Amino acid sequence: MKTVVVPLGPFHPLLEEAEYFKLFVEGETVVDMDLKVGYMHRGIEKLCESKTFDQVPFVVERICGICSTSHPLAYVNAVEDLLGVEIPERAKYIRTIIAELERIHSHLLWMGLAGHFIGYDTVFMWAWRYREPVLDLFELISGNRNHYAMMNVGGVRRDIKEDDYGQILSTLDEVRGGTELFIGAVMDDPVIHARTKGIGVLTPEDARAYGTLGPTVRGSGIPDDIRRDDPYAAYDMIEWDICTYEGGDVFAKTAVRLLETVEATNIIRRCVEQMRPGPICADVQTIPAGEGLGHAEAPRGEVLHYVRSDGSSRPVRHKVRAPSLMNIPSFKVTCIGEKIADAALITAAVDPCYCCTERTAAVEKGSDKAVLTGGDLVEMSRRKTAQIRNDLGCVPPVEKLVRGIMAR
Amino acid sequence: MKPSLWGLKKSPWVYHVALSPCNNCDIEILDVLTPKFDVERFGIKLVGSPRHADALLVTGAINRHVLPRFKELYEQTAKPCVVFAIGSCALSSTMFRDSYNIVGPLEEVMKEIDPNAIIAYVPGCPAKPEAIIAGVVKALNAL
């Protein structure tokens, strides 16, 4: 059969790094895959070398708008590793609260986009509706909805006022209620089961071989979490559980993210309860020569920062490794052999990716003739859901009503 | 008023162009469409093709790799087309202006592509949903 190339990309803004995928398809089946990166390259590592140690958190914050706490957190961990400084206890709790709030908003964002891909726009709207109170909370704490600028070498930049505890806890209740509603909806819905179970399976062996991180590896049943393996912030001072799920398919990754959202609300609640008044930043005067390594568990996996100093006010080398770089090559095993209608969902299961499908076009090899556009791909995915819904006899309430009236 | 401008002001369809942003303005643009702000009430709709767009929402400091793709994309749009520079990066490249891979803010890029282009600016890092809505309303009133 003739092989057709389907380009996905080249740049899609809902991922940390923009990529360009080439899907080689035979009929409806994906047979091979190629990947190019570099569309979002802004030279951040080089820019960091021209900034002082205090300015770098603002630069690394802007690597990704969704993980805008994980990168500064990993960076300050690296500098504190270099310094060997112990940060105040209250700063540790505040760092944990901000990191976990970010996990909630990121997972809900992903949940909405995944719903959009399989044609459940209601899920998209509801997930983003529950995400809003979390952003309001960020605005209350830091003054900005995203890019919180909370991390500082030696501690945090801002305190959380005791007057705000009430609003934090009430927002958590609201988010938890919404997430539990989602868990009920996802676990019970036969259409979602049919669309996600057994699709894009990443076996534990492959997950290890590709070095995948975060919910991608935990969805294969491996309890890998940098918060437990090498604790930073307050993760060794509170009780919490690693969320894993067996299966490695899209369903398992969804389940891990939903369970983690609930667990994040527990972590924040415990932090707020255990937090005592005190200083929020250690006194750091100069950064000596040396090198430091720091990491943080971002919503998508481990973020790694390496910093080398020669005793001046600026880092001489700053290396960043984001989790998507490790997770994306696993598409090579998850996408191959799957139907093209599922490819958008499988690639989205690792990380949100919205605009990539918006800009997709299937091009016949050797010519520029477009065969399929991004809209067609989403349409195919939606048609499959409708087909499954029909086969299972699940009729949407409105349609049921219309049919009832017609029968009369 | 020209009929084409009159048509543009009613329920503008927008196309989202991400030119090496940090994703944040992009999720704020999507936020404007979701229940809390819900601009689809006013007929503002995100479309999948630049050929359907009345306005382009441009985010990000523009790098060398995406610039030729943006040129191509702008040429595909039906004129007149309002270009919205959303967020500080598109306005002035902010902290990325010294980077080796950044070609400059949208205004300078547009001078080369189309000197007569209509550009509207929405500042903020990221631009708040309220600011995006206010910017769109002001720009449409000024047309």
Side-chain angles (χ1 to χ4, degrees):
Chain A
M1 196 185 277
K2 197 174 173 191
T3 307
V4 177
V5 183
V6 182
L8 275 171
F11 51 98
H12 32 122
L14 276 169
L15 286 166
E16 274 150 277
E17 294 119 342
E19 303 89 18
Y20 171 58
F21 302 109
K22 253 185 186 173
L23 294 178
F24 297 87
V25 296
E26 270 175 19
E28 283 249 316
T29 314
V30 180
V31 290
D32 200 4
M33 199 158 186
D34 195 10
L35 166 75
K36 276 180 195 152
V37 291
Y39 287 88
M40 304 270 248
H41 185 75
R42 282 163 292 161
I44 287 189
E45 288 181 7
K46 191 71 191 165
L47 270 178
C48 287
E49 292 169 17
S50 66
K51 307 280 181 216
T52 63
F53 282 101
D54 244 13
Q55 289 172 329
V56 174
F58 297 104
V59 183
V60 293
E61 202 166 56
R62 280 153 183 84
I63 291 175
C64 172
I66 309 169
C67 306
S68 59
T69 268
S70 309
H71 283 284
L73 186 51
Y75 165 77
V76 293
N77 281 338
V79 179
E80 281 154 14
D81 177 40
L82 189 163
L83 281 165
V85 69
E86 183 63 24
I87 68 163
E89 205 167 276
R90 192 176 171 84
K92 287 186 182 174
Y93 283 119
I94 294 176
R95 281 182 181 184
T96 314
I97 290 172
I98 298 294
E100 290 303 315
L101 279 175
E102 185 191 74
R103 197 176 313 283
I104 295 175
H105 107 71
S106 173
H107 283 348
L108 286 178
L109 183 149
W110 177 85
M111 190 62 210
L113 294 176
H116 176 75
F117 281 130
I118 61 169
Y120 273 38
D121 270 347
T122 321
V123 174
F124 175 44
M125 292 299 170
W126 276 103
W128 282 57
R129 185 227 166 281
Y130 282 115
R131 189 177 152 266
E132 272 312 313
V134 183
L135 296 182
D136 289 343
L137 212 53
F138 275 128
E139 200 166 359
L140 181 81
I141 295 169
S142 71
N144 204 1
R145 286 160 57 90
N146 312 76
H147 292 328
Y148 330 111
M150 289 294 278
M151 301 302 157
N152 197 6
V153 175
V156 288
R157 223 169 267 279
R158 271 179 223 93
D159 204 351
I160 297 178
K161 292 192 204 82
E162 276 187 44
D163 302 350
D164 297 341
Y165 289 1
Q167 193 178 340
I168 294 176
L169 295 178
S170 64
T171 305
L172 287 181
D173 282 337
E174 191 183 336
V175 169
R176 201 191 162 116
T179 316
E180 273 165 5
L181 188 129
F182 268 133
I183 294 178
V186 169
M187 300 286 174
D188 289 345
D189 193 328
V191 181
I192 290 183
H193 278 233
R195 269 320 297 278
T196 57
K197 275 210 166 157
I199 304 289
V201 176
L202 184 68
T203 59
E205 295 76 36
D206 283 334
R208 274 263 177 267
Y210 279 87
T212 54
L213 302 164
T216 313
V217 68
R218 292 197 283 278
S220 299
I222 301 172
D224 258 10
D225 198 319
I226 209 72
R227 294 174 287 173
R228 173 64 47 84
D229 301 339
D230 183 13
Y232 57 95
Y235 288 110
D236 50 350
M237 291 145 73
I238 46 168
E239 291 275 313
W240 64 280
D241 292 319
I242 297 178
C243 305
T244 58
Y245 206 88
E246 300 290 332
D249 49 7
V250 177
F251 183 79
K253 285 166 193 158
T254 313
V256 166
R257 285 195 171 91
L258 284 170
L259 295 172
E260 270 185 10
T261 311
V262 173
E263 189 58 30
T265 61
N266 291 337
I267 295 175
I268 299 166
R269 190 172 292 279
R270 279 169 204 146
C271 283
V272 172
E273 280 163 7
Q274 289 183 22
M275 208 157 59
R276 296 285 165 265
I280 54 161
C281 196
D283 189 27
V284 177
Q285 296 292 343
T286 51
I287 314 278
E291 52 184 9
L293 196 65
H295 36 210
E297 182 78 19
R300 288 162 192 78
E302 179 201 352
V303 171
L304 188 92
H305 278 238
Y306 164 83
V307 175
R308 193 163 73 222
S309 162
D310 60 353
S312 67
S313 60
R314 291 153 212 270
V316 283
R317 180 79 180 96
H318 185 188
K319 168 89 188 97
V320 181
R321 202 223 45 213
S324 297
L325 190 69
M326 305 300 288
N327 289 337
I328 284 161
S330 71
F331 293 161
K332 197 104 187 167
V333 282
T334 52
C335 278
I336 289 171
E338 297 287 349
K339 295 280 175 280
I340 195 165
D342 293 326
L345 186 63
I346 296 166
T347 46
V350 160
D351 211 44
C353 125
Y354 175 74
C355 294
C356 60
T357 31
E358 292 287 332
R359 286 140 208 245
T360 304
V363 179
E364 238 175 85
K365 217 173 187 178
S367 80
D368 291 339
K369 213 180 119 215
V371 184
L372 284 169
T373 64
D376 292 341
L377 271 192
V378 172
E379 196 49 49
M380 273 166 84
S381 179
R382 289 173 166 213
R383 265 208 307 272
K384 189 168 172 183
T385 306
Q387 180 65 40
I388 291 168
R389 197 186 270 151
N390 208 14
D391 294 348
L392 290 170
C394 312
V395 184
V398 178
E399 212 178 316
K400 204 181 268 179
L401 197 73
V402 172
R403 280 187 198 176
I405 294 165
M406 298 293 275
R408 253 185 268 159
Chain B
M1 189 188 278
K2 277 189 202 163
S4 57
L5 274 180
W6 177 82
L8 187 76
K9 285 174 80 164
K10 304 291 173 192
S11 65
W13 284 12
V14 295
Y15 181 74
H16 169 211
V17 196
L19 305 174
S20 61
C22 73
N23 306 342
N24 227 334
C25 296
D26 312 74
I27 48 177
E28 294 294 53
I29 287 173
L30 285 184
D31 232 29
V32 171
L33 302 168
T34 51
K36 193 174 178 188
F37 300 99
D38 195 16
V39 293
E40 282 191 3
R41 284 175 296 168
F42 309 117
I44 299 177
K45 204 177 156 219
L46 207 60
V47 290
S49 165
R51 290 179 204 278
H52 301 160
D54 298 316
L56 297 179
L57 305 176
V58 178
T59 60
I62 301 153
N63 78 11
R64 288 177 207 286
H65 212 133
V66 296
L67 181 61
R69 284 158 184 84
F70 175 58
K71 273 184 189 157
E72 209 169 292
L73 206 147
Y74 182 76
E75 278 153 17
Q76 287 177 6
T77 58
K79 310 290 179 306
C81 175
V82 188
V83 181
F84 284 92
I86 293 188
S88 305
C89 286
L91 260 68
S92 66
S93 300
T94 57
M95 61 177 68
F96 302 110
R97 67 180 179 275
D98 298 328
S99 173
Y100 52 84
N101 204 26
I102 300 294
V103 286
L106 182 74
E107 193 174 8
E108 279 167 30
V109 168
M110 286 308 289
K111 268 180 203 162
E112 287 170 27
I113 301 173
D114 181 6
N116 302 319
I118 311 165
I119 311 177
Y121 304 91
V122 181
C125 185
K128 281 192 173 193
E130 293 94 336
I132 297 174
I133 296 170
V136 172
V137 170
K138 275 190 181 172
L140 293 183
N141 281 338
L143 279 179

